Amino acid sequence: MKLTHKTEYAILALIHLAREGESQTESISKECDIPFKFLQQILRELRLKQLVTSVRGPNGGFKLKRPANKISLAEVVRAFDGPLAPTSAVSVYFYEPGPLEAEPKTLRVFKEVRDFVSKKLEKTTIFDLV
Amino acid sequence: MKLTHKTEYAILALIHLAREGESQTESISKECDIPFKFLQQILRELRLKQLVTSVRGPNGGFKLKRPANKISLAEVVRAFDGPLAPTSAVSVYFYEPGPLEAEPKTLRVFKEVRDFVSKKLEKTTIFDLV
DNA sequence: CATATTCTTGACAAAGTTGGTAGACTTTAT
DNA sequence: ATAAAGTCTACCAACTTTGTCAAGAATATG
């Protein structure tokens, strides 16, 4: 797992929504210091991934689709950056074969990393981060 | 931390050298199934990073510069892929500010990930993977 | 010494990812 | 009507990844 800025922005936006209840793109952009146009794109993805809902028109905006304690960090990271595992050769949800395949001992080490990260991020929710 | 193929190849080559004692590029290439020209480049980096030594000419080749149990996985991964941390905002050796900076609780989660990964990879050596 | 073998070095390149931006469109409160 | 939101598609520059290529330098062997 390597976090991109986009994923970090997504996490910030979700935390913000958890705090405020509801908010508009411009206000999130200013308070979280996220480039407006980039944030629009991110909020759209968050909606497509069922993490937020939106309302259009004046006084529109966004809010969390589920309670903050039902949105895990794992879900957010997976949605934006893909595998939590350090290499897709040991990924559960995004498995792909790779060069390391032939070395079981090495695979084991990275699987232990994957398991730790996965457990940690599954049990941490946006609520915990507010 | 996200492993690239290059890093995985580097790990494979080091394990191979630990097993064989010494070996030539072509033989490593064939046995580990690493593209020859790419491997040349990787072995050069491994030498520059003081992980292997080389001998030129016929019957030349490569061997580990240090005993296998003195080469940690952490060192190899850091040399090729940079930070072990999931984001450079929580990296010790490669720190850079990032969007997450403003959220201490979130930083903490990722620091715990970093610490686990770091400990795990520091104490795993090439010797353990042979 | 000649030659073949092997490592050395620097450049290059196609494809994919990252971190955005632009602008036209749709919905809706007033 | 109009203005204030979100929606959607497309685009772009910079960087990283995954290699390839070719010429050069060192050295063991005959």
Side-chain angles (χ1 to χ4, degrees), chain A residues 1-5 7-9 11-12 15 19 32 73 77 83-89 97-103 105-106 108-110 112-113 116-117 120-121 124 127-130, chain B residues 1-5 7-9 11-12 15 19 32 73 77 83-89 97-103 105-106 108-110 112-113 116-117 120-121 124 127-130:
Chain A
M1 170 191 49
K2 170 125 186 286
L3 298 182
T4 60
H5 279 193
T7 308
E8 299 192 25
Y9 288 146
I11 295 168
L12 289 180
I15 293 173
R19 281 180 183 138
C32 300
L73 211 39
V77 173
L84 301 186
T87 164
S88 48
L100 239 41
E101 220 82 32
E103 292 295 338
K105 287 185 184 172
T106 310
R108 254 199 35 158
V109 174
F110 291 118
E112 288 173 40
V113 169
F116 178 87
V117 174
K120 188 91 197 160
L121 268 55
T124 303
F127 178 80
D128 302 319
L129 302 177
V130 171
Chain B
M1 171 191 48
K2 169 121 187 289
L3 297 182
T4 60
H5 280 194
T7 307
E8 298 192 26
Y9 287 147
I11 294 168
L12 289 180
I15 292 173
R19 282 179 184 139
C32 299
L73 211 40
V77 173
L84 303 185
T87 165
S88 49
L100 239 42
E101 220 81 32
E103 291 295 337
K105 286 184 184 172
T106 310
R108 261 218 8 178
V109 174
F110 291 118
E112 288 172 40
V113 169
F116 178 87
V117 174
K120 188 91 195 160
L121 268 56
T124 304
F127 178 81
D128 302 320
L129 303 177
V130 171

Side-chain angles (χ1 to χ4, degrees), chain B residues 25-78:
Chain B
T25 310
E26 195 178 348
S27 139
I28 302 173
S29 167
K30 277 176 179 150
E31 298 209 29
C32 299
D33 205 41
I34 305 173
F36 181 79
K37 280 301 201 174
F38 200 19
L39 177 58
Q40 269 190 329
Q41 181 186 306
I42 290 165
L43 286 168
R44 187 185 168 217
E45 286 186 56
L46 284 170
R47 181 175 54 80
L48 294 175
K49 274 147 182 163
Q50 314 270 27
L51 295 174
V52 305
T53 57
S54 64
V55 175
R56 286 150 91 133
N59 303 325
F62 295 87
K63 59 180 186 180
L64 298 185
K65 182 156 190 181
R66 281 176 266 152
N69 69 344
K70 296 296 183 199
I71 300 177
S72 72
L73 211 40
E75 189 175 359
V76 181
V77 173
R78 285 206 186 96

